Amino acid sequence: ICLSANGNDNKKFKGDDKMDGAPSRVLHIRKLPGEVTETEVIALGLPFGKVTNILMLKGKNQAFLELATEEAAITMVNYYSAVTPHLRNQPIYIQYSNHKELKTDNTLNQRAQAVLQAVTAVQATNAPISGTTVSESAVTPAQSPVLRIIIDNMYYPVTLDVLHQIFSKFGAVLKIITFTKNNQFQALLQYGDPVNAQQAKLALDGQNIYNACCTLRIDFSKLVNLNVKYNNDKSRDYTRPDLPSGDGQPALDPAIAAAFAKETSLLAVPGALSPLAIPNAAAAAAAAAAGRVGMPGVSAGGNTVLLVSNLNEEMVTPQSLFTLFGVYGDVQRVKILYNKKDSALIQMADGNQSQLAMSHLNGQKMYGKIIRVTLSKHQTVQLPREGLDDQGLTKDFGNSPLHRFKKPGSKNFQNIFPPSATLHLSNIPPSVAEEDLRTLFANTGGTVKAFKFFQDHKMALLQMSTVEEAIQALIDLHNYNLGENHHLRVSFSKSTI
């Protein structure tokens, strides 16, 4: 059958919405958005194999797409019957055509042929061709709709919402799971369509989320489908809002999140956002934390109070929480709940610090128990009334000399890392030897695996055998008096020895 591009072939398809009909390597695609290009239609087929021809019926918002094999076409139809394909955010419909191949009228179809050639060339060489209209949108066959994302130089928290916002530009994000592995923040992110994953990888791999930090490293995952059990700040399945949040923790109240994002996106942050320019609360707060810009009002918008639960109530004290959470921000007040002593409220100096502490400490082990950290609905931590003794459960640390982030632009901002087994020690007096420090740290109940002085002997790296032991050692020994008016400073390190 010779087809012409005026769409007279269209009669048989009226009302034929189902993907039935005998399999054919020619697919009939309907309900295309008006301004859609050949390249976008071809891209639908690429993950499944070579595309050999295309015919666009422009006035009818339809197209025919021919794949090299019937097998590829069957795979494509089966995939898109499970996952509705979208172009430009509109659902489209795909079914087998009655044609076994496309014999197109070449004069009408020259442009489509050029596009096909360009795309096929890109597919063959895997390198974009310059000088064709296609190079921006041509895609190579994608392996999987799931990307694995590693974030390097993570000086500010990168939340699940920030990832969702960045990656949504390339298609609907279905699921995200975040986790820390080898002391690195990583995420798995699933699109509905491998093409979106391919485009996002091409566009974002190697980009910085914020100025000069939080660099995205992106590959395809071997997984093709993610199984998300809980919707919370670590994982989310956007197709199933009904999932529980796990551990009895409420997910961040969407109203609060929306209010926060709205409030801060109005603040222009000059020079602090990078190429990805996220008009987003987290970015603005992160920039403020870096001491680059003074931002009135962010701390009011961001929740400064954290709720920490599943604490070891025999062991925990306001002081130990102050020391651990103080790694990620200046803790103002701590209140262990009187009638629920395995939970505490911690008030940080600003919303970014509470995000930072939450993203790094939720799920870590403290005194043998995995702690849960979420944003509290409280705006401040109340101190007990005058003359009322609450058994030392509430403490005000507002004027503590131990705050790490008081000075704007302090180099401590550059040394914020997730909890790790290796600790960075500084302010060591000349008289203290390696043996003294090894003994001191072994006394916190863990095993010292390795030790290394820096050249000047004022600083050292010390590795415990687990992250939990390192957390314990930091709580016990940060600000420990080593004599000669030297108080030891302990931080988590990103290095290993």
Side-chain angles (χ1 to χ4, degrees):
I1 302 170
C2 180
L3 295 182
S4 67
N6 64 10
N8 58 8
D9 182 62
N10 178 32
K11 293 191 270 301
K12 345 184 161 52
F13 298 108
K14 288 276 187 289
D16 181 13
D17 270 24
K18 296 174 294 305
M19 300 212 183
D20 47 12
S24 155
R25 67 192 183 97
V26 180
L27 300 176
H28 179 220
I29 304 174
R30 294 174 304 112
K31 302 258 169 80
L32 291 169
E35 62 288 9
V36 83
T37 64
E38 276 93 352
T39 312
E40 290 169 279
V41 176
I42 292 168
L44 288 169
L46 287 181
F48 306 95
K50 192 169 181 288
V51 175
T52 46
N53 208 344
I54 179 170
L55 172 69
M56 299 283 279
L57 308 178
K58 278 277 162 54
K60 297 268 188 263
N61 300 75
Q62 302 187 11
F64 290 94
L65 193 68
E66 178 188 274
L67 280 86
T69 64
E70 197 169 287
E71 216 163 15
I74 292 172
T75 312
M76 178 167 163
V77 167
N78 290 347
Y79 177 82
Y80 287 128
S81 59
V83 176
T84 307
H86 283 71
L87 281 179
R88 307 204 175 196
N89 293 327
Q90 276 181 227
I92 57 172
Y93 299 89
I94 298 179
Q95 64 202 50
Y96 298 116
S97 162
N98 295 352
H99 303 289
K100 289 295 173 219
E101 61 182 314
L102 282 182
K103 294 190 183 62
T104 47
D105 173 340
N106 273 345
T107 47
L108 283 167
N109 218 33
Q110 263 168 342
R111 193 195 131 140
Q113 294 306 316
V115 171
L116 257 179
Q117 272 170 340
V119 174
T120 336
V122 172
Q123 245 180 315
T125 59
N126 240 347
I129 316 162
S130 53
T132 67
T133 49
V134 186
S135 59
E136 300 88 299
S137 46
V139 276
T140 47
Q143 289 77 2
S144 155
V146 179
L147 294 175
R148 188 181 72 142
I149 301 156
I150 294 177
I151 297 187
D152 283 342
N153 309 328
M154 182 150 145
Y155 295 151
Y156 311 128
V158 173
T159 59
L160 191 132
D161 295 322
V162 167
L163 290 174
H164 184 259
Q165 191 163 354
I166 296 170
F167 283 83
S168 292
K169 294 192 170 91
F170 298 90
V173 173
L174 306 188
K175 303 170 187 177
I176 305 179
I177 297 173
T178 63
F179 52 96
T180 301
K181 187 174 172 185
N182 309 334
N183 285 331
Q184 273 188 311
F185 179 82
Q186 303 194 15
L188 292 168
L189 181 144
Q190 180 175 345
Y191 282 106
D193 186 331
V195 171
N196 301 130
Q198 174 77 23
Q199 288 167 335
K201 178 180 184 300
L202 283 173
L204 296 175
D205 190 22
Q207 291 263 24
N208 293 334
I209 299 179
Y210 305 129
N211 248 14
C213 71
C214 301
T215 312
L216 293 163
R217 302 266 171 248
I218 304 173
D219 309 310
F220 291 104
S221 167
K222 297 197 174 50
L223 300 166
V224 289
N225 186 32
L226 299 179
N227 178 21
V228 175
K229 294 194 181 65
Y230 302 115
N231 283 342
N232 53 31
D233 53 5
K234 288 268 189 277
S235 63
R236 213 163 288 166
D237 183 335
Y238 295 92
T239 62
R240 299 200 44 207
D242 55 307
L243 287 177
S245 61
D247 310 309
Q249 288 303 339
L252 174 56
D253 176 347
I256 294 175
F260 184 24
K262 198 193 223 117
E263 171 150 4
T264 36
S265 60
L266 305 173
L267 297 160
V269 183
L273 299 182
S274 72
L276 295 178
I278 307 164
N280 170 295
R292 286 203 205 93
V293 279
M295 285 182 64
V298 167
S299 54
N303 260 22
T304 57
V305 181
L306 295 167
L307 171 64
V308 188
S309 53
N310 201 38
L311 291 163
N312 179 334
E313 53 187 275
E314 307 297 312
M315 306 287 290
V316 73
T317 61
Q319 185 65 45
S320 62
L321 290 169
F322 166 76
T323 306
L324 179 57
F325 281 74
V327 172
Y328 300 106
D330 293 340
V331 175
Q332 305 299 302
R333 294 175 179 179
V334 178
K335 182 189 210 73
I336 293 174
L337 302 184
Y338 188 77
N339 44 13
K340 196 173 182 333
K341 291 194 174 61
D342 69 347
S343 300
L345 294 172
I346 299 181
Q347 183 177 336
M348 307 297 283
D350 66 43
N352 173 62
Q353 294 181 0
S354 51
Q355 281 282 346
L356 208 48
M358 177 169 82
S359 64
H360 286 315
L361 294 176
N362 181 34
Q364 296 288 353
K365 260 189 170 175
M366 180 179 181
Y367 297 123
K369 297 191 74 166
I370 291 178
I371 63 170
R372 288 286 159 231
V373 185
T374 55
L375 294 172
S376 161
K377 55 182 187 300
H378 294 283
Q379 293 304 305
T380 56
V381 168
Q382 296 296 318
L383 292 174
R385 286 201 304 281
E386 205 59 46
L388 196 72
D389 175 30
D390 75 342
Q391 304 172 352
L393 293 176
T394 308
K395 251 183 104 105
D396 187 355
F397 293 97
N399 298 321
S400 167
L402 297 184
H403 288 158
R404 294 176 189 236
F405 305 102
K406 267 270 191 281
K407 287 199 209 74
S410 148
K411 69 174 189 302
N412 293 337
F413 283 111
Q414 267 101 69
N415 295 316
I416 297 175
F417 301 111
S420 59
T422 308
L423 296 167
H424 179 278
L425 316 182
S426 58
N427 207 24
I428 302 167
S431 59
V432 169
E434 172 175 340
E435 213 30 63
D436 304 324
L437 290 165
R438 280 178 171 269
T439 308
L440 184 65
F441 277 78
N443 285 343
T444 62
T447 309
V448 177
K449 294 278 289 260
F451 182 93
K452 185 172 114 196
F453 263 122
F454 285 75
Q455 269 159 334
D456 60 4
H457 270 234
K458 290 181 187 152
M459 298 196 288
L461 292 176
L462 180 143
Q463 189 174 341
M464 304 299 287
S465 62
T466 64
V467 176
E468 185 186 358
E469 288 178 6
I471 288 176
Q472 184 63 54
L474 181 140
I475 290 171
D476 291 352
L477 294 174
H478 178 60
N479 200 44
Y480 182 85
N481 188 349
L482 290 171
E484 302 172 52
N485 208 7
H486 281 68
H487 285 80
L488 183 66
R489 293 183 56 83
V490 186
S491 308
F492 296 115
S493 169
K494 66 168 178 184
S495 318
T496 44
I497 306 171

